Amino acid sequence: MNSVIPILKKEFREIWRDPYTLGMAIILPLMLLFLFGYALNLDVKDISLAVVDLDHSAESRAYLNTIMNTGKFYLAYRLSDPAEAERLLDQGKIQAAVLIPGGFSRALLGGETAQAQTLVDGTFPSSARVIQGYVEAINQVFSARLLRDHFDALGAGDGLLVPAVTNVSRVRYNPALESANFVIPGLIGVILMAFPPLLSALAIVREKERGSIQQIFVSPLRSWAFIVGKLIPYVIISLAEWLIILLVARYWFGVPMTGNGWLFFLVSIPYVLSTVSIGLLVSALVRTQLAAMLMVIAFTMMPAFIFSGFMYPIANMPEAIQAYSLSFPARYFINITHGVFLRGVGLDVWWKQLAALAVYTAVLVGMASLRFKKKVA
């Protein structure tokens, strides 16, 4: 440790003298958290709707009221021409259009199946599927209400309306289905995968560009001591980032944490070590800061969004891609964050992810040390 401490002091002085590094370490992660925390919303609500009612009957108005009373739609346009609704869809001004043809009430009163059409913007398939589900549920509610009114008029009562099967569903872990409760914990893993490697990579490459790295190569300092001395300052900065992001997630966005916070801190340490180690390994491979930045972005931020389960379920990916995602630490850590924040599970559930992070860190630190050892030799 006597050889590590001078590297630590030197690195902390370099960081303190470089306000841009401190700004990148603190301000940019917060900007990313607020940007995605507010902009990345997977909830489907306030759906802009256009209505074309060609029947103008009490039944068509009741059907439209059933749609609007759900609180999921807002009436943007009331039209008289179906072609105009299609033009609004083409222009992206509405997300859905409901077309009620003439004869809607006549079919209902005559005991026939009335026809209505809903046009949905499929540009965003996930939103389109949710809107279709809303419409199907609304049709079932409206049909059941008409059937009940019909039996009441006949004096048959509710006995004939007893369903054969009932299925009561409960949503666990996120009952309100709030996007923030899923997105914000995932963002902790994404942000810690994006910025710590960038900081640690630039730290060593900067010395290469200045030529000061040659003093390290000719000194009696061992490669592992140099790597550890460079590693620790950025681990401390990254843990400070972790704490700030966690406080903002809990007390600004109001994301609940059902698991053990102290245990979450302890398991975050190997993840931070692994992400900082990625930057150290990159810095050992390239010679310029531009190359280091591009390589870090390619190997950290992009995979953290795509292959970690943050945005896309890994189970839906091809098996080859699922296997490829195992090479990125964000996949393991985001499973842990969702387990801590939403499910409230502990080490007995995600110890395998923790073990994978520990192995990942050991391999990266070893590879970076070997790379510098060759330089020293």
Side-chain angles (χ1 to χ4, degrees):
M1 289 301 297
N2 291 333
S3 57
V4 172
I5 292 175
I7 300 295
L8 282 174
K9 292 181 178 179
K10 171 184 175 298
E11 198 61 33
F12 275 121
R13 283 196 297 267
E14 289 283 346
I15 294 171
W16 185 253
R17 292 170 182 170
D18 186 3
Y20 296 104
T21 299
L22 291 175
M24 188 176 358
I26 303 300
I27 297 175
L28 288 183
L30 284 177
M31 289 176 60
L32 190 65
L33 179 65
F34 280 104
L35 178 65
F36 282 96
Y38 284 109
L40 191 60
N41 194 324
L42 305 179
D43 299 334
V44 181
K45 56 184 180 180
D46 296 329
I47 303 165
S48 54
L49 181 70
V51 170
V52 182
D53 184 2
L54 301 180
D55 194 56
H56 303 293
S57 63
E59 288 73 17
S60 65
R61 288 191 293 272
Y63 181 70
L64 294 176
N65 287 336
T66 304
I67 296 175
M68 302 310 300
N69 289 339
T70 61
K72 303 294 184 180
F73 299 84
Y74 74 90
L75 185 59
Y77 297 91
R78 189 180 292 273
L79 309 172
S80 57
D81 184 5
E84 180 63 23
E86 294 191 13
R87 281 194 293 270
L88 291 175
L89 279 172
D90 293 340
Q91 297 169 5
K93 294 183 177 179
I94 57 174
Q95 295 171 267
V98 175
L99 311 179
I100 301 179
F104 181 83
S105 61
R106 184 171 63 251
L108 286 177
L109 298 176
E112 302 174 3
T113 301
Q115 299 291 328
Q117 185 180 38
T118 302
L119 305 177
V120 180
D121 184 353
T123 305
F124 300 97
S126 58
S127 299
R129 283 191 290 268
V130 173
I131 295 173
Q132 285 183 314
Y134 288 160
V135 173
E136 292 174 3
I138 290 168
N139 286 335
Q140 292 176 2
V141 170
F142 184 74
S143 299
R145 186 178 300 161
L146 286 179
L147 193 60
R148 185 182 299 110
D149 293 342
H150 176 70
F151 281 123
D152 287 342
L154 295 177
D158 295 334
L160 298 176
L161 295 177
V162 176
V165 177
T166 60
N167 188 331
V168 180
S169 63
R170 287 180 56 198
V171 178
R172 298 188 63 186
Y173 313 127
N174 188 10
L177 296 179
E178 293 287 342
S179 292
N181 293 343
F182 173 81
V183 171
I184 300 298
L187 275 175
I188 297 176
V190 171
I191 291 173
L192 292 179
M193 189 70 183
F195 292 99
L198 187 60
L199 294 174
S200 58
L202 294 179
I204 298 181
V205 175
R206 191 183 302 119
E207 292 196 24
K208 288 184 178 181
E209 291 185 343
R210 294 172 180 171
S212 58
I213 195 71
Q214 299 300 325
Q215 300 175 13
I216 301 297
F217 292 155
V218 299
S219 70
L221 185 68
R222 295 188 176 185
S223 60
W224 69 265
F226 178 71
I227 291 296
V228 172
K230 286 288 188 180
L231 183 74
I232 293 176
Y234 294 101
V235 168
I236 294 174
I237 292 175
S238 301
L239 289 175
E241 287 182 7
W242 174 91
L243 179 60
I244 293 171
I245 295 169
L246 183 67
L247 293 175
V248 172
R250 287 285 292 112
Y251 299 107
W252 182 274
F253 289 98
V255 178
M257 176 185 283
T258 57
N260 189 313
W262 286 108
L263 184 60
F264 182 50
F265 171 74
L266 292 177
V267 300
S268 298
I269 294 175
Y271 179 64
V272 168
L273 283 168
S274 67
T275 59
V276 174
S277 300
I278 292 175
L280 293 177
L281 181 59
V282 168
S283 66
L285 297 174
V286 301
R287 295 180 178 275
T288 65
Q289 294 187 57
L290 178 59
M293 291 176 62
L294 293 176
M295 186 173 288
V296 166
I297 292 173
F299 284 97
T300 59
M301 183 175 290
M302 292 171 60
F305 276 102
I306 301 173
F307 302 118
S308 65
F310 168 62
M311 286 297 300
Y312 312 103
I314 295 177
N316 295 344
M317 299 178 182
E319 292 185 2
I321 299 300
Q322 293 184 39
Y324 177 65
S325 69
L326 295 174
S327 59
F328 299 102
R331 169 173 179 173
Y332 307 109
F333 186 71
I334 287 179
N335 282 338
I336 294 175
T337 59
H338 288 153
V340 171
F341 276 85
L342 298 178
R343 299 186 181 94
V345 295
L347 192 60
D348 57 322
V349 174
W350 35 256
W351 66 269
K352 292 182 180 179
Q353 285 85 353
L354 180 59
L357 289 175
V359 172
Y360 198 96
T361 302
V363 171
L364 288 178
V365 172
M367 292 174 63
S369 298
L370 289 175
R371 176 71 178 179
F372 276 99
K373 186 176 182 179
K374 291 180 181 179
K375 290 288 186 180
V376 173

